[in-house]
Amino acid sequence: MKYDVIVIGGGHAGCEASLASSRMGAKTLLITLRKDRIAQMSCNPSIGGIAKAQLVKEIDALGGEMAKNIDETGIQFRLLNTKKGPAVWSLRAQADRVLYRKRMQEIIFSQKNLDVLEDEVIEIITDKEVKGVLTTRGRKIEAGAAIVTGGTFLNGVIHVGLIQFRAGRMGEFPSKGLSNSLRKPGFKIGRLKTGTSPRVLKSSIDFKEAQIVEGDNPPRGFSFRNPFLNVNQEICWMVYTNQKTHKIVDELREICPLFIGQIKSIGPRYCPSIEAKVFNFPEKERHLLFLEPDGRDSDIIYISGLSTSYGVDIQYKILRTIPALHNAEILVPGYAIEYDFSDPRQLYPWLESKKIRGLFFAGQINGTSGYEEAGAQGIVAGINAVLYLDKKEPFVIKRSEGYTGVMIDDLVTKGVDEPYRMFTSRAEYRIILRQDNACERLMHYGYKFGLINESEYKKFLEERKIVDEEIERLKKQRIKREAALKVIKDNFKESVTLAELLRRANVKYDDLKKINKDKELPSHLKEKVEIEIKYEGFVKRQLKEAKHFEKLEKKKIPEDIDYESVPNLSYEAREKLRKYKPLNLGQASRIPGIRATDITALLFYIENRSISNK
């Protein structure tokens, strides 16, 4: 058998990678341990959330599938952070776990140029570049590029109390040979830890003791194709831990794998287990938990926020302290899982290995955590695998273009010492990286690569034209002071433009109807007009900053540079630059420990060297 691209692993990264490469015309093979577990949600049944929604919308703008999939299979949609500015608004959806997986499998199995094979890859065949793979069933499959998306399956070990066993996730075998294959050419392989919460029987919960959480009305969609959805939404619930809960967690620490040394890897700091929460935040009287339905017709509830490595008996004791869960019956216990990952500093910003040409990595193997982070890396790796085969320039999303660019740059520049999770605070340009403008930022790439079709791109351009024309009209049309006072009591000059009026904090686009009856815009375009007018000044400032830093990104560092020869570099800078091998000054400036004076010294040296070489 011979393929253009082989994708190893059928998780969220593998799905986006294989769909992207096949849709770009490459003959693609997706190899997975179990076909029926492609796109499985191993942890909580949800998509999106703070900063993660931005990643999903960027996948969508590039032509990926995740946004469409959750819009079709979601059971509750809520916009988070609405009390703050739109730069950090983030959509989150509860998914029907089974339907989400089934729909994505239908897309995968029916995709042209994409085959699916149930097998395990134990070796990547290389000769300075990818030649193919070898599987446990003796198949030798040729390919010009390969994408590794192993998730938690690489030498995975599950911990449920003092019991531990090898698994990729609960009930599934791990991948045993691939890590060793990667070690042979010198890849640095480490270990990380993550975990899940218990799933309990819905009918065993006392919902009178829980607080109802309803979805938005109307619900928004993730895909640009679905500004708003027509969907019957399910209810979620909130409960809290208490001092009784914390006492049990604290007193039984001597039999907790996290504290007795049984778990040796580092877990996610920003999504900690209940035992880590209680230990790290002893002053907190309670911790918030969400009771999330596994699906419309499911009798399973996932307890989000109660990730744990305690044994089943202790998990029952913990549940008994929470009024709504005092009779809860555990169907699947929570567990911790340790797994292998590859140091992402061994990758270029387009996710290709620096050691082997044509070998790409995406998802948790790069040290990330989350479906959304995995999917975003997957589509970037899939696109770049095809560009590599076509001998074209690689596709790199800049930090000023997307959260995906921020994430990948953080990974390949700084590496990880814990599972990486996306946050709005990681993006220095978050005012221009909003979830509402993902298409403006990235859709031209999706169209360029053939992942966004002509009609979709044309519709986007038409809507963009409507927004631009409306903004221009609001900037030009002036009204007298008396008219403006009908909208809001404020100190106005003799006249004011509608745009100046809309910039007032408490003025909404629809408020302008009181004095200005013009054509009606769709709700999502009204919101876009309002956001862009209100934040125009901030946006211009950030674009100016981004342009300044772009100059550093364009200043490449020669591959043969000898940092010992660079005058005025600090000792720490020499060590870090040799270790990280940044491609340009922008990347160098983001390495921890590199100072502004080091960048100045490096810039001066590179420019002088360039002059002397002429």
Side-chain angles (χ1 to χ4, degrees):
M1 290 187 286
K2 188 172 183 179
Y3 287 86
D4 297 318
V5 178
I6 291 176
V7 178
I8 304 165
H12 304 280
C15 288
E16 296 295 348
S18 59
L19 287 171
S21 63
S22 58
R23 288 169 175 173
M24 288 175 71
K27 188 180 179 185
T28 304
L29 176 65
L30 173 62
I31 304 178
T32 180
L33 294 175
R34 287 179 59 175
K35 290 182 180 180
D36 65 337
R37 286 296 182 267
I38 289 173
Q40 172 76 341
M41 290 178 149
S42 305
C43 196
N44 56 325
S46 70
I47 292 291
I50 307 300
K52 291 171 175 282
Q54 282 83 336
L55 291 172
V56 179
K57 285 179 172 286
E58 289 174 7
I59 294 168
D60 187 55
L62 289 171
E65 197 65 32
M66 183 175 281
K68 289 188 284 185
N69 211 55
I70 186 60
D71 283 355
E72 288 288 333
T73 61
I75 59 176
Q76 190 195 80
F77 296 79
R78 285 194 301 137
L79 186 62
L80 309 181
N81 264 355
T82 53
K83 292 182 180 179
K84 300 180 181 179
V88 292
W89 290 355
S90 298
L91 186 62
R92 186 181 189 272
Q94 286 302 127
D96 186 308
R97 190 192 301 269
V98 173
L99 291 183
Y100 186 94
R101 182 181 72 221
K102 283 185 175 179
R103 183 192 177 277
M104 188 66 87
Q105 288 175 11
E106 289 171 3
I107 297 296
I108 295 280
F109 296 148
S110 63
Q111 177 60 46
K112 182 183 176 183
N113 294 324
L114 178 57
D115 293 337
V116 181
L117 175 66
E118 200 170 85
D119 205 339
E120 178 188 350
V121 173
I122 56 173
E123 185 178 348
I124 297 170
I125 304 167
T126 66
D127 179 17
K128 295 185 179 179
E129 60 184 27
V130 168
K131 298 295 183 182
V133 302
L134 187 65
T135 75
T136 52
R137 296 180 182 177
R139 295 184 176 100
K140 185 176 180 181
I141 307 169
E142 295 180 45
I147 305 170
V148 183
T149 69
T152 60
F153 279 75
L154 299 185
N155 287 324
V157 174
I158 281 179
H159 302 263
V160 184
L162 302 181
I163 299 171
Q164 53 182 307
F165 51 91
R166 294 172 66 85
R169 60 178 159 236
M170 188 64 80
E172 297 182 51
F173 293 112
S175 174
K176 300 175 183 177
L178 190 54
S179 290
N180 289 334
S181 171
L182 293 172
R183 284 190 179 94
K184 288 178 184 177
F187 283 99
K188 294 178 182 176
I189 304 296
R191 297 282 281 176
L192 288 174
K193 169 252 176 189
T194 190
T196 72
S197 300
R199 296 178 175 88
V200 300
L201 186 67
K202 184 177 181 180
S203 56
S204 69
I205 297 173
D206 184 359
F207 288 107
K208 294 192 298 295
E209 298 287 349
Q211 182 179 338
I212 289 175
V213 179
E214 294 183 335
D216 294 339
N217 184 23
R220 298 166 183 254
F222 275 92
S223 178
F224 65 86
R225 304 163 186 86
N226 309 312
F228 293 95
L229 300 168
N230 182 16
V231 57
N232 293 323
Q233 300 196 76
E234 298 293 319
I235 292 172
C236 295
W237 299 265
M238 289 193 306
V239 296
Y240 292 89
T241 63
N242 52 57
Q243 289 302 301
K244 290 180 181 178
T245 317
H246 302 177
K247 185 178 180 182
I248 287 175
V249 171
D250 204 36
E251 288 181 348
L252 297 174
R253 197 181 299 173
E254 70 275 4
I255 55 172
C256 179
L258 188 65
F259 295 115
I260 63 175
Q262 181 176 310
I263 294 175
K264 298 180 173 60
S265 310
I266 299 174
R269 185 184 356 159
Y270 300 106
C271 188
S273 61
I274 186 61
E275 49 265 39
K277 289 178 186 177
V278 172
F279 179 75
N280 293 328
F281 306 101
E283 73 285 355
K284 289 205 72 170
E285 294 184 358
R286 63 181 191 172
H287 293 283
L288 175 63
L289 308 175
F290 284 96
L291 306 183
E292 301 176 343
D294 224 47
R296 289 196 187 281
D297 303 317
S298 175
D299 202 21
I300 300 172
I301 294 288
Y302 182 87
I303 309 176
S304 182
L306 200 66
S307 171
T308 183
S309 61
Y310 270 117
V312 179
D313 56 336
I314 308 303
Q315 292 185 38
Y316 267 113
K317 287 184 178 181
I318 290 171
L319 295 182
R320 295 291 174 261
T321 66
I322 302 168
L325 304 172
H326 66 285
N327 285 322
E329 181 181 335
I330 296 175
L331 299 174
V332 181
Y335 61 86
I337 183 167
E338 293 183 285
Y339 56 93
D340 287 349
F341 82 103
S342 175
D343 189 335
R345 290 172 296 185
Q346 300 168 112
L347 305 176
Y348 292 110
W350 50 94
L351 298 180
E352 184 185 11
S353 155
K354 293 177 180 177
K355 294 181 179 294
I356 297 171
R357 295 299 318 276
L359 181 59
F360 297 79
F361 293 76
Q364 283 183 279
I365 192 169
N366 289 336
T368 58
S369 173
Y371 313 143
E372 303 83 359
E373 288 88 343
Q377 292 172 70
I379 193 168
V380 171
I383 290 169
N384 276 307
V386 179
L387 295 178
Y388 164 77
L389 293 173
D390 292 343
K391 295 182 170 53
K392 293 180 179 177
E393 282 291 310
F395 169 51
V396 176
I397 301 177
K398 298 192 287 286
R399 293 182 73 93
S400 57
E401 286 183 310
Y403 274 70
T404 303
V406 173
M407 171 180 62
I408 293 175
D409 182 70
D410 281 350
L411 292 172
V412 303
T413 302
K414 304 171 185 176
V416 297
D417 52 16
E418 63 181 272
Y420 179 100
R421 181 179 178 179
M422 195 71 242
F423 287 102
T424 54
S425 59
R426 295 189 189 274
E428 61 270 42
Y429 305 120
R430 55 186 171 274
I431 291 177
I432 59 176
L433 303 182
R434 307 183 307 275
Q435 67 166 20
D436 67 272
N437 69 353
C439 289
E440 281 83 351
R441 294 183 278 112
L442 296 174
M443 190 185 277
H444 63 286
Y445 291 122
Y447 178 67
K448 173 185 174 183
F449 299 133
L451 299 176
I452 296 290
N453 65 44
E454 187 76 36
S455 62
E456 289 174 333
Y457 192 57
K458 186 178 179 182
K459 183 180 178 183
F460 159 70
L461 293 178
E462 288 171 353
E463 289 195 342
R464 186 64 246 179
K465 184 180 178 184
I466 292 171
V467 170
D468 290 339
E469 288 176 349
E470 179 64 354
I471 290 173
E472 188 64 24
R473 183 185 74 82
L474 295 177
K475 285 182 176 181
K476 285 182 178 178
Q477 188 168 337
R478 303 189 73 85
I479 58 171
K480 291 186 177 181
R481 182 175 179 274
E482 293 76 16
L485 289 172
K486 293 179 182 178
V487 177
I488 186 172
K489 303 300 180 184
D490 207 338
N491 293 321
F492 292 109
K493 301 175 184 176
E494 283 303 309
S495 68
V496 62
T497 67
L498 292 175
E500 289 170 337
L501 185 58
L502 186 54
R503 286 195 187 100
R504 299 299 200 277
N506 296 322
V507 177
K508 300 292 183 183
Y509 180 90
D510 280 341
D511 293 333
L512 301 181
K513 287 180 182 178
K514 298 174 184 177
I515 53 173
N516 175 65
K517 292 181 180 179
D518 204 66
K519 64 179 181 180
E520 186 72 12
L521 296 182
S523 297
H524 67 290
L525 297 188
K526 288 183 196 175
E527 184 176 84
K528 193 176 284 288
V529 168
E530 184 178 320
I531 290 172
E532 292 192 16
I533 284 181
K534 284 184 180 294
Y535 286 85
E536 184 180 37
F538 299 104
V539 168
K540 283 182 177 177
R541 198 176 309 143
Q542 283 212 338
L543 286 171
K544 187 176 180 181
E545 290 173 11
K547 199 167 185 180
H548 169 72
F549 281 104
E550 247 181 65
K551 293 178 182 177
L552 289 179
E553 306 290 340
K554 290 178 180 178
K555 201 69 179 179
K556 296 189 184 302
I557 298 175
E559 289 185 14
D560 62 344
I561 191 169
D562 177 11
Y563 289 110
E564 290 298 327
S565 303
V566 182
N568 303 318
L569 269 186
S570 66
Y571 176 79
E572 183 181 11
R574 294 183 205 279
E575 290 294 307
K576 292 283 181 70
L577 291 167
R578 273 197 296 265
K579 180 180 179 181
Y580 289 88
K581 297 178 181 176
L583 301 177
N584 54 61
L585 289 182
Q587 199 177 36
S589 70
R590 292 187 290 275
I591 296 173
I594 302 295
R595 301 173 299 191
T597 52
D598 296 319
I599 298 300
T600 302
L602 198 51
L603 173 62
F604 187 74
Y605 176 82
I606 292 170
E607 288 184 340
N608 278 351
R609 171 177 151 154
S610 179
I611 292 170
S612 62
N613 287 341
K614 286 183 179 177

